[in-house]
Amino acid sequence: MAEGRRARGSGVPGRCPLLVPRLAPRLGLRFHARLVPLVVLLLVGLVGCGGRTGTDSARADVQRVLDRRAAALLGHDASAYAATGAAAGYAAVRAVPLAGWAYRVTALQRSGDSATADAELSYRVDGYDKAPVTVGRTLRLARDGAGRWSVTSEKPAAKAGEQLWDQGVVRVVRGAHSLVLGVGQSDARLRSFAELADGAVPAVSAAWGTDWAGHVVVLVPKSLEGMAGLLGSPASAYRGIAAVTTGETGGGAKTPADRVVVNPDAYDLLGQVGRQVVLTHETTHVATRAHTNAATPLWLSEGFADWVGYRETGRTPAEAAPELQQAVRDGNMPEALPADGDFGFYGDANRLAQAYEGGWLACRMIAERWGEVKLDAFYRAVGEHRARAGAVEGALRSVLGTSSEQFTADWRAYLKAQLG
């Protein structure tokens, strides 16, 4: 059925005389010229000639409500926000410095005066996000007697991670090079993370260079469960993991800013040096993200981040790689550099520790033997490839003048010398 078709030459939009004789038999009506007015009246609610269906109209109305809601949030207008529906979310996100906040309705399901909207929420943190962060959201709405829609609830879409404000009222602390957002944390505790991040940023720039944003956003949820909620994964995946970095790799300058997500439960078990190493490690991922892609093996990306983290600490291999040292001394020298599968959070904890330690010592060996400038160049050269095949081998030849076989043999000898 072609909605909105007009009679040829009529020049009158919104009329559908050509549809009437076609639809009348489908409705069990016998078409007759005298019945045209009656048939048109019967069909006007079914066809909506030249107009929108009821669902389309409701979707447009809901979009307008969400547009007003977003404008009220950006304008810090609590009354205008409350006029669009449930007001609890306003207080939760109010302190976050936002440069953008917008919804786009992608689907609407109606049931009488109730509706469920699927939407994309795009937002930018002022001064930190060069491009919007886009997440899926599900909103429930109700319509009052006057036909006005209002939001009754909002939550992450199915399979989407939570946002920090979904977990409670967000508190904000600014550092010299950092923005720390937390839920269920005191300002003093958030300031301690800002101090760590402020120490991490110049340390990363000293090792990697200044061709990155030079600042970092740190999210501090209330607990391990809160961390898992932000990442959309079970808590068991991150137990014992102090922090992770989210963000797209290899996306260039327009990729949304990464977030360093902290596990406060694990952080409490670390000493001051360990806490600094972790924040510096994660900040390194933020800095190197544009040069990291599918061609970059985890031993290199994680090993380089650890190398930057430990670079100014004075920690020796024996102090920083106890699990791998034990394996070497027990005669279990690894035959090859750690595979990506060795870095899985669900696997053996010893295997995971040895993978990180092995990657770190590979990068440490490059820095000692070829120099820190060559280590940076090697990392970037691997990232210039888009496919894994040949990326590391090519960078080893072009930057370090060696082969994969020789590099692996040198690494194994280095492990023996440092840990044996």
Side-chain angles (χ1 to χ4, degrees):
M1 180 172 66
E3 289 189 18
R5 181 181 297 177
R6 50 169 91 166
R8 180 174 297 176
S10 68
V12 182
R15 286 183 160 182
C16 307
L18 293 181
L19 295 178
V20 174
R22 297 178 184 178
L23 288 172
R26 299 182 194 176
L27 297 173
L29 300 173
R30 180 175 298 175
F31 181 75
H32 188 278
R34 295 180 180 179
L35 294 178
V36 169
L38 174 61
V39 174
V40 171
L41 288 175
L42 288 171
L43 294 179
V44 76
L46 298 174
V47 179
C49 300
R52 298 170 300 184
T53 66
T55 299
D56 288 341
S57 177
R59 179 168 169 170
D61 290 342
V62 167
Q63 182 65 66
R64 283 190 287 270
V65 170
L66 297 184
D67 290 344
R68 293 198 303 273
R69 193 170 178 85
L73 183 62
L74 288 174
H76 301 295
D77 190 334
S79 297
Y81 188 89
T84 65
Y90 180 86
V93 76
R94 169 67 178 80
V96 179
L98 295 169
W101 184 283
Y103 296 93
R104 184 177 72 87
V105 177
T106 58
L108 185 73
Q109 298 83 39
R110 287 186 58 189
S111 177
D113 289 331
S114 299
T116 300
D118 295 328
E120 289 181 347
L121 168 63
S122 297
Y123 69 89
R124 288 190 301 118
V125 173
D126 191 24
Y128 288 84
D129 295 343
K130 294 182 178 180
V133 177
T134 301
V135 295
R137 307 291 283 178
T138 298
L139 300 100
R140 297 191 183 280
L141 303 100
R143 187 172 61 173
D144 63 18
R148 294 184 295 261
W149 290 99
S150 62
V151 176
T152 59
S153 68
E154 178 180 344
K155 65 179 182 179
K159 298 182 180 180
E162 296 175 341
Q163 299 302 301
L164 192 60
W165 46 84
D166 291 323
Q167 300 179 2
V169 176
V170 177
R171 303 175 74 95
V172 178
V173 168
R174 291 182 179 271
H177 306 291
S178 61
L179 183 73
V180 181
L181 312 178
V183 167
Q185 308 288 343
S186 67
D187 285 349
R189 182 156 167 77
L190 296 182
R191 277 194 295 272
S192 71
F193 282 102
E195 291 169 0
L196 292 170
D198 287 346
V201 168
V204 171
S205 292
W208 174 253
T210 57
D211 59 337
W212 65 292
H215 54 223
V216 64
V217 179
V218 181
L219 306 184
V220 188
K222 187 176 182 179
S223 64
L224 166 63
E225 287 70 23
M227 177 196 194
L230 295 176
L231 300 172
S233 299
S236 58
Y238 301 103
R239 186 166 286 109
I241 303 300
V244 299
T245 301
T246 67
E248 300 174 23
T249 57
K254 294 185 177 180
T255 303
D258 301 73
R259 306 288 192 250
V260 175
V261 185
V262 168
N263 173 1
D265 296 350
Y267 238 86
D268 289 340
L269 303 177
L270 298 174
Q272 185 62 27
V273 173
R275 294 175 183 181
Q276 187 63 70
V277 168
V278 168
L279 249 297
T280 304
H281 174 112
E282 299 304 334
T283 303
T284 302
H285 285 314
V286 175
T288 59
R289 181 250 307 147
H291 297 273
T292 308
N293 56 35
T296 311
L298 287 177
W299 72 258
L300 178 57
S301 61
E302 297 298 339
F304 185 83
D306 262 355
W307 175 74
V308 178
Y310 282 115
R311 181 170 173 266
E312 298 296 335
T313 65
R315 293 299 174 94
T316 66
E319 292 171 328
E323 301 296 338
L324 190 53
Q325 181 182 55
Q326 188 63 51
V328 170
R329 289 182 173 179
D330 289 344
N332 296 319
M333 174 72 71
E335 296 294 327
L337 288 156
D340 283 3
D342 296 332
F343 291 87
F345 290 167
Y346 289 100
D348 185 325
N350 287 339
R351 180 185 178 190
L352 177 61
Q354 290 177 29
Y356 273 90
E357 293 165 5
W360 168 58
L361 286 167
C363 291
R364 189 175 188 269
M365 180 184 75
I366 295 173
E368 287 186 356
R369 182 169 300 184
W370 286 275
E372 294 185 3
V373 173
K374 287 286 189 178
L375 174 58
D376 283 9
F378 174 69
Y379 193 107
R380 296 169 193 266
V382 172
E384 289 176 358
H385 293 256
R386 293 299 170 186
R388 175 65 68 89
V392 173
E393 179 67 36
L396 284 170
R397 285 198 307 269
S398 64
V399 179
L400 304 184
T402 189
S403 65
S404 292
E405 293 78 8
Q406 186 59 53
F407 183 80
T408 300
D410 290 345
W411 171 73
R412 296 182 76 241
Y414 187 76
L415 296 186
K416 182 66 175 176
Q418 296 293 325
L419 304 175

